[in-house]
Structure formats: C-alpha cells, structure tokens
Amino acid sequence: MPFAPMLFRTARRIAARPDDASDIVQETFLRAYRTFANFQDGTNAKAWLFTIMYSIVSNQWRADRRAPVEVPVDELEGRFGAALSAGQPDAEQVMLARLDASPEVDRALRDLPDTQRAAVLMVDVEELTYEEAAAVLDCPVGTVRSRLARGRKQLFVTLADYARRTNAVRGR
Amino acid sequence: MAEHPPHPTDALQDAIDGHLDTVARAALDLHLAACPACRRELDALSWVKQQVREHAGDAAPVSADLQAAILRALDAEDRGTADVRSPQPSGHRGVPARWWIGGLTAAAAVVAVVWFGTRLGDPTVPAQVAAAFREYAAGSLTLDLRTADPAALEAQLRTAGLAFSTRVFDFGMMDYRLTGGGVHQVAGRSSAMFAYDGPAALRLLCQMYEATLEDLPPPAEQRSNDGIEFLVYREGDVTIVFWQEGSVVCVLAANGSAEAAIRLAFAKAVRA
C-alpha cells in the first residue's frame, strides 16, 4: 500500500507509544480520505499526509501532557564541543564508523524531545525541505532549523559515545 | 589574541541538507579551509544525518492486518458507516476508496486526476503505471528500499506479505542500474516495484501484481516474442509494456524509444 510503510516507520518513532503506530497510520489514511478536497493540486502528497499524521500525534502528546524535556542550549553546546574536542583522539574514527546498531539509533532518537525528533525524522529520513517540514510541524522555518540543529547535536553526543564504547570504531 | 571570524552555523546546516547555492557553498568552503572547528562540526553533523538516514530510514513492513484494517476503514467511510473497526462484510469491495489509495501513488498533481477520474470510472491501469513512472523520473516516488542489490530488494519484498513470489529483473547488460523498489499499488492491488536508472535521462520502472491481461484496455499494439504475448501502450513519452507470467502480470514503463522499451520487456519475460 503506497505511503503506508513510510507513514508507519515514522509513526513508530514519533508517537508517544510505538504500539500506537498502526492506529495512527489508519487514522491518517481515513482523515486524508475524508479531507481530500483540502489537498492542493500540485503540492507534495507525502508532506500532506505527514501533516495529517503529525496533527494526530501532537494531539496525543498533548493528551499525554508530554512536556518537552530539553537540555539547556549552553549545556548541549558544551557536551557537543566535548565530544568533538581534541582531547578525544578517536573522534575522527568515530565519525567514520558505520554503526551497526539500528536499535541504538532508535533509542537515541527516542531520547530526543518530541519536537526535535519530529524535525530530524522529517528532514533526515523523509527528506522534506525545511519549508515542507515547517508546514508539517506547524511552526516557522526558523524553528525547524533550530530543532534540527539541537537534535543532531544531541544525537552526535549519544551516538559518538556509543560508537566509542563498542567495536564500531575502526581498529579496535 | 587573534579574532576568529564568526562560525557560519546556519551555512553548515544548509550544506548538510544541500540547500546552499554555488556562491554560498564557495564562501563556506573558504571558511572551512581556515577553520578546523567548523570542519569537524560539519563532519560530525553529516555523520549523524547519515546514521539516522541509514538506520531509521529502513522500510517498515506494514502487516497484512494493518492494510486490511485501513481498507476496511475506507470502505466503511464509503458506506457512510461510523463503526470503521467492525468486521468487513464478506465480499464487500469499496472500489472508490481503493482506487483512491492507488491514486495516492501518483505525483501530487496526478493524484487529483486519478481521484476524480476514478470517480468517473475512467482510470486506466496503463495511465496509473505511467503516472508512477513520471513520479519516479521526477524523483518524487517513495521507494521502500534504495539499493542497487537485487538480492537485497528481493529479501525486502519477501517480508512485505505479497501473495506471489517476485523476481527482481537485472537490466545490467542493458546499462540500467537498479536503484531500489518496494511495494506499490496497481489497479488497487499490491505490486512489487523495481526502479532503474539508465544512461542519460533514461528511467525504467517495473511492477508485478496479481491479475490477468484481460483486465487491461485494448492496447495500442500487440507483440509476440518467444511464445509470450505483450500488450503495448503509450502515455505521452512513456511506453508501457505488459505481459503475463502465471497468475502475475508484469509491467515495464520506460521513456526513450518505444522499440527499446519493448526489447527490454522481451529480454526479461519468462514463459510461465
């Protein structure tokens, strides 16, 4: 079924509870079918479906009273700088390493604040433009950019640490 | 103490996401040549993007149960019933909703055409195949798996719950390189889809789905080769060639020369 795998993989990662992914995808298709008249001819159907899905998911976040748990910017920059610092001689190797650890990437994504995780998934996995992601996430483009930047830095801190702790680093 | 120029953090992000024009990229490269800190940040964040794409961009197999539940929900919507989770009445087929699902596979502009076309009872299967092809050629078709490895794609398709076995065609001898594929939709049915890039701007999209050639409209041309019948259609600059292999219909859509497209089909068709 077209778009279903794409919606399902994102729903699993973006939802408060991954087990809700099936219901979210089903509801997305149903709302899309009901509101097809709102679809603008010539626009990105994929982004339109994600807009519907994100609305469902963000309502769930609100119902669950999930408050964003964000690392303060200064603290994040400090952690990111430390992970990149010259005091860690294997940093470049870490960057070259190919993680063989999809569960670890999933855990790192899950640890991000909801809105940062959504921005990373929309841009890095679903390959939406900043403008399309802003429409999906119902926020300004600048907000998408900042969520993306913070999310990626936090992911680097987590994943680089994981890569160093495992055999993913070359030469170990 | 020497003053450092400000680090162009926005430009780094734009570079990672491919949003820099030539002039801005040149300016960034100039900065990067003199700023190891920015080089390391660019490498680090590019690495993160690569890891996320590689590990979170996997195709998520959608269970047959979920697909059935979605179709039941849409069928119920067609009937105007509220209880979308109730068991499906035996034999019910809500054609408009299912055609709508098929229409979603096409490019955004085409979706509306297919949608309204189906409501009027005039969507042809060749037109759907051509729409998917144009979407692929435009780079906007979602591939469940991007790979040049036929074995990897076949392994992916084996997990997709298709009711028939698939055979990913190898067009390497004809200079077409596999780029990926996945599960798609033709005539409201699940199809296995394989996408290829050829020389220059030549593209090729193949699909297999359970049906018979008798479901198709009259072709523009009918050919026979090695005992196999081929139905040939033209949709603008796209040539579409269908043939039957057992219970499965295979279809190939390609731009470029119609004769070359037909030869591609001849080369890969197998008598069931």
Side-chain angles (χ1 to χ4, degrees):
Chain A
M1 181 173 291
F3 292 113
M6 173 196 78
L7 290 168
F8 187 63
R9 77 178 170 203
T10 299
R12 276 191 314 173
R13 293 186 169 98
I14 206 172
R17 294 172 297 276
D19 288 348
D20 289 345
S22 293
D23 287 344
I24 290 168
V25 172
Q26 181 177 332
E27 183 66 17
T28 300
F29 273 101
L30 190 58
R31 289 195 194 180
Y33 186 49
R34 285 174 181 159
T35 62
F36 189 77
N38 297 338
F39 177 67
Q40 292 181 358
D41 191 11
T43 60
N44 185 339
K46 176 175 165 180
W48 176 64
L49 288 169
F50 273 127
T51 303
I52 295 169
M53 192 186 82
Y54 186 74
S55 166
I56 296 166
V57 171
S58 56
N59 282 338
Q60 287 189 348
W61 291 345
R62 276 191 285 277
D64 288 355
R65 293 188 167 81
R66 283 169 71 95
V69 181
E70 296 196 22
V71 178
V73 174
D74 288 349
E75 186 179 336
L76 175 60
E77 289 296 337
R79 290 184 191 174
F80 181 65
L84 278 177
S85 73
Q88 301 195 43
D90 59 359
E92 288 180 4
Q93 286 179 300
V94 166
M95 284 180 228
L96 292 171
R98 283 170 54 96
L99 295 178
D100 184 19
S102 294
E104 193 63 27
V105 173
D106 268 339
R107 268 192 292 275
L109 282 165
R110 183 60 63 184
D111 285 344
L112 292 179
D114 294 333
T115 53
Q116 290 180 19
R117 183 170 70 254
V120 170
L121 289 171
M122 291 302 159
V123 174
D124 286 353
V125 176
E126 302 306 338
E127 300 181 345
L128 299 187
T129 65
Y130 295 157
E131 289 76 15
E132 288 170 340
V136 168
L137 304 177
D138 194 22
C139 66
V141 169
T143 305
V144 170
R145 295 178 64 100
S146 63
R147 288 175 183 172
L148 195 55
R150 287 185 208 169
R152 283 176 177 161
K153 286 182 177 177
Q154 180 60 51
L155 286 170
F156 179 77
V157 171
T158 306
L159 295 177
D161 179 60
Y162 171 77
R164 288 189 186 97
R165 286 187 285 105
T166 66
N167 292 329
V169 178
R170 290 177 184 174
R172 289 195 174 177
Chain B
M1 186 173 168
E3 287 282 323
H4 277 290
H7 298 302
T9 50
D10 283 353
L12 289 176
Q13 182 159 312
D14 285 340
I16 291 164
D17 293 323
H19 294 167
L20 284 186
D21 60 29
T22 311
V23 173
R25 179 71 215 199
L28 178 64
D29 287 342
L30 204 61
H31 177 88
L32 290 173
C35 183
C38 281
R39 284 202 304 273
R40 291 173 72 79
E41 181 164 335
L42 181 66
D43 288 345
L45 297 180
S46 298
W47 177 79
V48 166
K49 183 178 178 108
Q50 178 195 337
Q51 297 303 325
V52 170
R53 180 174 290 182
E54 194 167 314
H55 293 287
D58 57 318
V62 175
S63 69
D65 284 350
L66 175 55
Q67 294 191 47
I70 292 169
L71 290 173
R72 278 201 305 274
L74 295 179
D75 286 344
E77 188 71 13
D78 268 345
R79 294 194 306 271
T81 58
D83 182 12
V84 299
R85 292 170 201 272
S86 62
Q88 181 184 9
S90 174
H92 175 75
R93 288 290 180 274
V95 171
R98 289 158 191 257
W99 277 112
W100 175 80
I101 288 279
L104 274 176
T105 65
V110 180
V111 168
V113 174
V114 173
W115 164 252
F116 292 113
T118 50
R119 287 289 180 184
L120 296 172
D122 185 33
T124 69
V125 174
Q128 289 180 50
V129 173
F133 172 84
R134 290 199 182 93
E135 195 179 357
Y136 173 62
S140 54
L141 182 67
T142 300
L143 301 178
D144 295 345
L145 179 67
R146 289 190 176 277
T147 180
D149 180 3
L153 182 54
E154 282 183 352
Q156 164 72 26
L157 289 167
R158 277 197 294 274
T159 68
L162 293 170
F164 52 93
S165 55
T166 58
R167 184 175 94 256
V168 178
F169 304 131
D170 183 354
F171 289 100
M173 295 289 285
M174 293 86 152
D175 282 341
Y176 280 87
R177 181 180 58 84
L178 181 70
T179 60
V183 176
H184 202 62
Q185 201 84 6
V186 177
R189 295 166 185 155
S190 293
S191 66
M193 181 180 70
F194 328 127
Y196 306 81
D197 285 355
L202 292 178
R203 298 290 181 268
L204 177 61
L205 194 68
C206 299
Q207 299 188 65
M208 303 174 78
Y209 63 103
E210 280 195 308
T212 71
L213 293 181
E214 292 166 3
D215 298 336
L216 296 170
E221 186 182 353
Q222 191 154 354
R223 296 279 191 97
S224 179
N225 184 69
D226 198 22
I228 303 171
E229 296 299 315
F230 296 84
L231 305 187
V232 182
Y233 300 81
R234 294 283 295 175
E235 292 281 340
D237 62 341
V238 184
T239 302
I240 305 116
V241 187
F242 291 84
W243 70 95
Q244 187 91 42
E245 293 189 5
S247 64
V248 172
V249 167
C250 302
V251 58
L252 171 157
N255 54 359
S257 146
E259 199 55 42
I262 294 168
R263 283 199 302 271
L264 289 171
F266 284 177
K268 291 302 160 191
V270 171
R271 201 165 6 175

